[in-house]
Amino acid sequence: MEIIRGMSEEDYNARPERRQSDLQKFRLPTQAHAIHALNEEHEEKDCFLNGRALHALVLEGKTTYEVDPRCKTQKNPPQAGSGIMLSPHNAAKIQGMAAGVKRNAEAVALIGSRIETEVSIFWDGRKVRLDLVCPLGVVDLKSTGKGADPRTFSRAIFDFGYAIQAAAYLEGAAVAGFPCDDFRFIVVE
């Protein structure tokens, strides 16, 4: 078992261990679909870049993006010295979501009680990257464009396999010796 703090997203993704999202590919209709999905290249989508920028801002208080008015979307953006290049629209969206998290007393309390943020754990050919470890267990920050209300997000839990993710994250926390009694989401739209 290995715990790495401060590991870049690129270095984490380059490691050969399987992530929990690989398990979700076995929900596909056939074994051939699952094998194809496991072997295809991971595409960096706008929502993932926005999520990375939001995580750094909310969980670590760091701005890891630059704003470029020429950038309409993150697809093939100009190179940013700090990592992520955002359009003015998406940068404003990230700032608004971060402000929304700060207005939620429960989210602020969870973040304020953090033991670890963005910690990577590797064991038995598997890997997880925990957003936040606090005394109650593991907290995952999710940004969504579909709605953060409980009814809408409960559907996303099913659609995107977040229950599988929660189980894998709690197992990783337990293996690493971190608190693992509970799993919570901080959901922001």
Side-chain angles (χ1 to χ4, degrees), residues 18 20-31 33-35 37-38 164:
R18 291 289 183 182
Q20 58 76 29
S21 60
D22 292 338
L23 295 174
Q24 296 177 37
K25 292 174 180 156
F26 289 99
R27 296 170 58 199
L28 294 171
T30 68
Q31 183 179 15
H33 285 97
I35 291 169
L38 285 169
I164 295 169

Short mmCIF file of all heavy atoms in Angstrom, two decimals, residues 18 20-31 33-35 37-38 164:
data_model
loop_
_atom_site.label_atom_id
_atom_site.label_comp_id
_atom_site.label_asym_id
_atom_site.label_seq_id
_atom_site.Cartn_x
_atom_site.Cartn_y
_atom_site.Cartn_z
N ARG A 18 -5.78 0.13 -11.39
CA ARG A 18 -7.15 0.37 -11.85
C ARG A 18 -7.88 1.27 -10.87
O ARG A 18 -7.79 1.12 -9.66
CB ARG A 18 -7.92 -0.95 -12.00
CG ARG A 18 -7.43 -1.82 -13.11
CD ARG A 18 -7.80 -1.21 -14.43
NE ARG A 18 -7.39 -2.07 -15.53
CZ ARG A 18 -7.56 -1.74 -16.77
NH1 ARG A 18 -8.11 -0.61 -17.11
NH2 ARG A 18 -7.17 -2.55 -17.72
N GLN A 20 -11.63 3.06 -9.56
CA GLN A 20 -13.00 2.58 -9.36
C GLN A 20 -13.87 2.78 -10.59
O GLN A 20 -14.75 1.99 -10.86
CB GLN A 20 -13.63 3.21 -8.12
CG GLN A 20 -13.68 4.73 -8.11
CD GLN A 20 -14.74 5.34 -8.97
OE1 GLN A 20 -15.78 4.75 -9.20
NE2 GLN A 20 -14.49 6.53 -9.47
N SER A 21 -13.60 3.80 -11.38
CA SER A 21 -14.43 4.03 -12.57
C SER A 21 -14.25 2.90 -13.59
O SER A 21 -15.13 2.66 -14.41
CB SER A 21 -14.11 5.39 -13.20
OG SER A 21 -12.76 5.46 -13.59
N ASP A 22 -13.12 2.18 -13.52
CA ASP A 22 -12.94 1.02 -14.40
C ASP A 22 -13.96 -0.06 -14.07
O ASP A 22 -14.46 -0.75 -14.95
CB ASP A 22 -11.53 0.45 -14.28
CG ASP A 22 -10.46 1.38 -14.83
OD1 ASP A 22 -10.80 2.26 -15.67
OD2 ASP A 22 -9.30 1.25 -14.42
N LEU A 23 -14.28 -0.21 -12.78
CA LEU A 23 -15.28 -1.20 -12.38
C LEU A 23 -16.65 -0.88 -13.00
O LEU A 23 -17.40 -1.79 -13.34
CB LEU A 23 -15.43 -1.23 -10.85
CG LEU A 23 -14.22 -1.70 -10.06
CD1 LEU A 23 -14.49 -1.53 -8.56
CD2 LEU A 23 -13.91 -3.15 -10.38
N GLN A 24 -16.95 0.40 -13.13
CA GLN A 24 -18.25 0.80 -13.67
C GLN A 24 -18.41 0.40 -15.13
O GLN A 24 -19.53 0.24 -15.61
CB GLN A 24 -18.42 2.30 -13.51
CG GLN A 24 -18.47 2.72 -12.05
CD GLN A 24 -18.57 4.21 -11.90
OE1 GLN A 24 -19.22 4.86 -12.70
NE2 GLN A 24 -17.93 4.74 -10.88
N LYS A 25 -17.32 0.20 -15.81
CA LYS A 25 -17.40 -0.18 -17.23
C LYS A 25 -17.99 -1.56 -17.39
O LYS A 25 -18.48 -1.91 -18.46
CB LYS A 25 -16.03 -0.05 -17.87
CG LYS A 25 -15.62 1.43 -17.93
CD LYS A 25 -14.24 1.66 -18.41
CE LYS A 25 -14.02 3.17 -18.41
NZ LYS A 25 -12.66 3.55 -18.30
N PHE A 26 -17.96 -2.35 -16.33
CA PHE A 26 -18.57 -3.68 -16.40
C PHE A 26 -20.09 -3.62 -16.31
O PHE A 26 -20.76 -4.64 -16.42
CB PHE A 26 -17.97 -4.60 -15.34
CG PHE A 26 -16.55 -4.98 -15.67
CD1 PHE A 26 -15.49 -4.32 -15.08
CD2 PHE A 26 -16.28 -5.94 -16.61
CE1 PHE A 26 -14.19 -4.63 -15.40
CE2 PHE A 26 -14.97 -6.27 -16.95
CZ PHE A 26 -13.92 -5.61 -16.34
N ARG A 27 -20.64 -2.42 -16.15
CA ARG A 27 -22.09 -2.24 -16.21
C ARG A 27 -22.56 -2.13 -17.66
O ARG A 27 -23.76 -2.08 -17.91
CB ARG A 27 -22.49 -0.96 -15.45
CG ARG A 27 -22.18 -1.02 -13.97
CD ARG A 27 -22.37 0.32 -13.29
NE ARG A 27 -23.71 0.84 -13.44
CZ ARG A 27 -24.03 2.12 -13.26
NH1 ARG A 27 -23.12 3.00 -12.94
NH2 ARG A 27 -25.27 2.52 -13.41
N LEU A 28 -21.64 -2.07 -18.60
CA LEU A 28 -22.00 -1.96 -20.01
C LEU A 28 -22.67 -3.24 -20.48
O LEU A 28 -22.53 -4.29 -19.86
CB LEU A 28 -20.74 -1.64 -20.83
CG LEU A 28 -20.13 -0.26 -20.53
CD1 LEU A 28 -18.78 -0.11 -21.22
CD2 LEU A 28 -21.08 0.86 -20.95
N PRO A 29 -23.39 -3.19 -21.61
CA PRO A 29 -24.24 -4.32 -22.02
C PRO A 29 -23.52 -5.65 -22.24
O PRO A 29 -24.08 -6.70 -21.96
CB PRO A 29 -24.87 -3.85 -23.33
CG PRO A 29 -24.71 -2.37 -23.36
CD PRO A 29 -23.54 -2.04 -22.48
N THR A 30 -22.29 -5.62 -22.75
CA THR A 30 -21.61 -6.89 -23.02
C THR A 30 -20.17 -6.80 -22.55
O THR A 30 -19.62 -5.71 -22.33
CB THR A 30 -21.59 -7.22 -24.53
OG1 THR A 30 -20.74 -6.27 -25.19
CG2 THR A 30 -22.98 -7.21 -25.13
N GLN A 31 -19.53 -7.96 -22.45
CA GLN A 31 -18.13 -8.01 -22.08
C GLN A 31 -17.28 -7.29 -23.12
O GLN A 31 -16.31 -6.60 -22.76
CB GLN A 31 -17.69 -9.46 -21.95
CG GLN A 31 -16.26 -9.62 -21.48
CD GLN A 31 -15.84 -11.07 -21.34
OE1 GLN A 31 -16.50 -11.96 -21.84
NE2 GLN A 31 -14.74 -11.29 -20.65
N HIS A 33 -18.10 -4.67 -24.89
CA HIS A 33 -18.22 -3.23 -24.63
C HIS A 33 -17.30 -2.82 -23.47
O HIS A 33 -16.63 -1.79 -23.52
CB HIS A 33 -19.66 -2.85 -24.27
CG HIS A 33 -20.58 -2.83 -25.43
ND1 HIS A 33 -21.40 -3.88 -25.75
CD2 HIS A 33 -20.83 -1.87 -26.35
CE1 HIS A 33 -22.13 -3.58 -26.81
NE2 HIS A 33 -21.79 -2.37 -27.21
N ALA A 34 -17.30 -3.62 -22.41
CA ALA A 34 -16.48 -3.32 -21.23
C ALA A 34 -14.99 -3.34 -21.58
O ALA A 34 -14.25 -2.43 -21.20
CB ALA A 34 -16.77 -4.32 -20.11
N ILE A 35 -14.55 -4.34 -22.31
CA ILE A 35 -13.14 -4.44 -22.69
C ILE A 35 -12.73 -3.26 -23.57
O ILE A 35 -11.67 -2.65 -23.37
CB ILE A 35 -12.85 -5.79 -23.38
CG1 ILE A 35 -12.96 -6.92 -22.34
CG2 ILE A 35 -11.48 -5.79 -24.06
CD1 ILE A 35 -12.97 -8.31 -22.93
N ALA A 37 -14.11 -0.27 -23.58
CA ALA A 37 -14.10 0.93 -22.74
C ALA A 37 -12.86 0.96 -21.85
O ALA A 37 -12.28 2.03 -21.61
CB ALA A 37 -15.36 0.97 -21.88
N LEU A 38 -12.42 -0.19 -21.35
CA LEU A 38 -11.23 -0.24 -20.52
C LEU A 38 -9.96 0.11 -21.30
O LEU A 38 -9.02 0.66 -20.73
CB LEU A 38 -11.06 -1.63 -19.90
CG LEU A 38 -12.00 -1.96 -18.75
CD1 LEU A 38 -11.93 -3.44 -18.43
CD2 LEU A 38 -11.67 -1.12 -17.53
N ILE A 164 -20.64 2.88 -6.30
CA ILE A 164 -19.42 2.08 -6.47
C ILE A 164 -18.21 2.92 -6.07
O ILE A 164 -17.30 2.45 -5.39
CB ILE A 164 -19.29 1.59 -7.94
CG1 ILE A 164 -20.44 0.63 -8.27
CG2 ILE A 164 -17.93 0.94 -8.19
CD1 ILE A 164 -20.55 0.30 -9.75
#
